[in-house]
Amino acid sequence: MRIARFSIDGNVAFGAVEGDKPDELVLDIIKGIPFADFELSGTKVPVSKVRLLPPVLPNKVVAFGRNYAEHARELGNEVPEAPFAFFKPSTSVIGPGDDIQYPSFSEELHHEAELAVVIGRMCREVPRDRVRDVIFGYTCANDITARDVQRREKQWARAKGFDTSCPLGPWVETGLDLEQASDLTVQLTVNGEQRQLGRTSEMIHSIEDLIVNISEAMTLLPGDVILTGTPAGVGPLNVGDEVAVTIEGIGTLTNKVVKRG
């Protein structure tokens, strides 16, 4: 099931996405919230008539860097022996169609296409054989990075945590099992030109590794998001660019870069 979060007439709701053709998609509005038992209301609205929002509002976004060997090498970094985590604040999250605002303190903005894992239940110290039980689903993410700031400041809080630096969407796909999610095509285009192409099977540390690693240290809550790393091909974004992340079996997340107002 594809579960989207959306607004219509000033109200926010979740809905199950039905249909295959982009111009014919409809939402069956969910009674309640998707992290608990819920029912479909049977009330349907065309996706074209709503504004899609970030599919979840995470308490925290835990991101893992340098999790694809070729990406680590393209930036001149060593491949980490253990998962390498950092955080993006909830205020960095935007949804499909929302603008990425080019930060005033950077002159080198980069795209990073990623598979995002959405946590479905409160959990801590998750054993490897229970990882699949805590996963709600998967969505597309773009770990927007002020690369010059990342190099200059060493700490990544500003470089990767500024407002609008974490596009998520367009919805959460709950129908993929862990094995499927571990071998999906991840690609990114800028203005229709392909920049990144890889597979989640190329990760150094698996989805299980990442969730086991971070849940050893902290409690994960329903709606929290795990970013699993980006394949090679990261590069610059300019004001006016349209950037699209497409992940096999999930969908396409599209955003435009604008000058920060």
Side-chain angles (χ1 to χ4, degrees), residues 36-221:
D37 292 336
F38 66 86
E39 296 179 0
L40 297 178
S41 68
T43 301
K44 300 185 180 183
V45 60
V47 169
S48 61
K49 300 296 185 182
V50 308
R51 178 190 172 198
L52 290 180
L53 302 173
V56 291
L57 284 179
N59 174 271
K60 53 187 170 292
V61 178
V62 183
F64 286 89
R66 303 170 187 170
N67 200 28
Y68 287 73
E70 289 304 314
H71 168 59
R73 294 188 185 105
E74 73 179 345
L75 295 182
N77 297 311
E78 297 291 332
V79 175
E81 293 184 7
F84 182 82
F86 60 94
F87 295 93
K88 296 173 83 79
S90 59
T91 48
S92 70
V93 173
I94 58 173
D98 290 340
D99 291 336
I100 299 166
Q101 297 182 11
Y102 205 117
S104 57
F105 56 86
S106 173
E107 297 181 351
E108 188 182 356
L109 202 64
H110 278 200
H111 55 75
E112 296 191 9
E114 310 207 6
L115 174 71
V117 182
V118 180
I119 298 299
R121 62 179 65 180
M122 186 170 68
C123 57
R124 183 168 62 92
E125 297 185 351
V126 181
R128 182 173 296 274
D129 61 356
R130 296 297 302 275
V131 164
R132 68 183 68 245
D133 298 335
V134 307
I135 295 174
F136 176 66
Y138 304 88
T139 192
C140 305
N142 199 342
D143 176 19
I144 303 296
T145 303
R147 193 71 70 197
D148 52 344
V149 178
Q150 183 186 30
R151 286 194 298 263
R152 182 171 66 246
E153 297 185 355
K154 310 303 180 185
Q155 298 293 327
W156 296 5
R158 295 207 315 154
K160 287 178 172 284
F162 59 89
D163 290 354
T164 76
S165 67
C166 190
L168 296 175
W171 41 66
V172 178
E173 174 57 70
T174 67
L176 293 171
D177 62 31
L178 186 56
E179 287 72 23
Q180 291 172 311
S182 298
D183 190 20
L184 300 174
T185 300
V186 178
Q187 60 181 319
L188 180 143
T189 63
V190 177
N191 302 324
E193 176 188 349
Q194 184 174 286
R195 295 278 188 86
Q196 291 183 265
L197 179 63
R199 298 193 69 84
T200 56
S201 54
E202 298 168 1
M203 291 181 191
I204 300 166
H205 304 291
S206 68
I207 294 169
E208 297 101 309
D209 293 335
L210 304 182
I211 292 178
V212 168
N213 174 273
I214 199 63
S215 71
E216 287 177 338
M218 65 192 65
T219 300
L220 301 176
L221 301 175

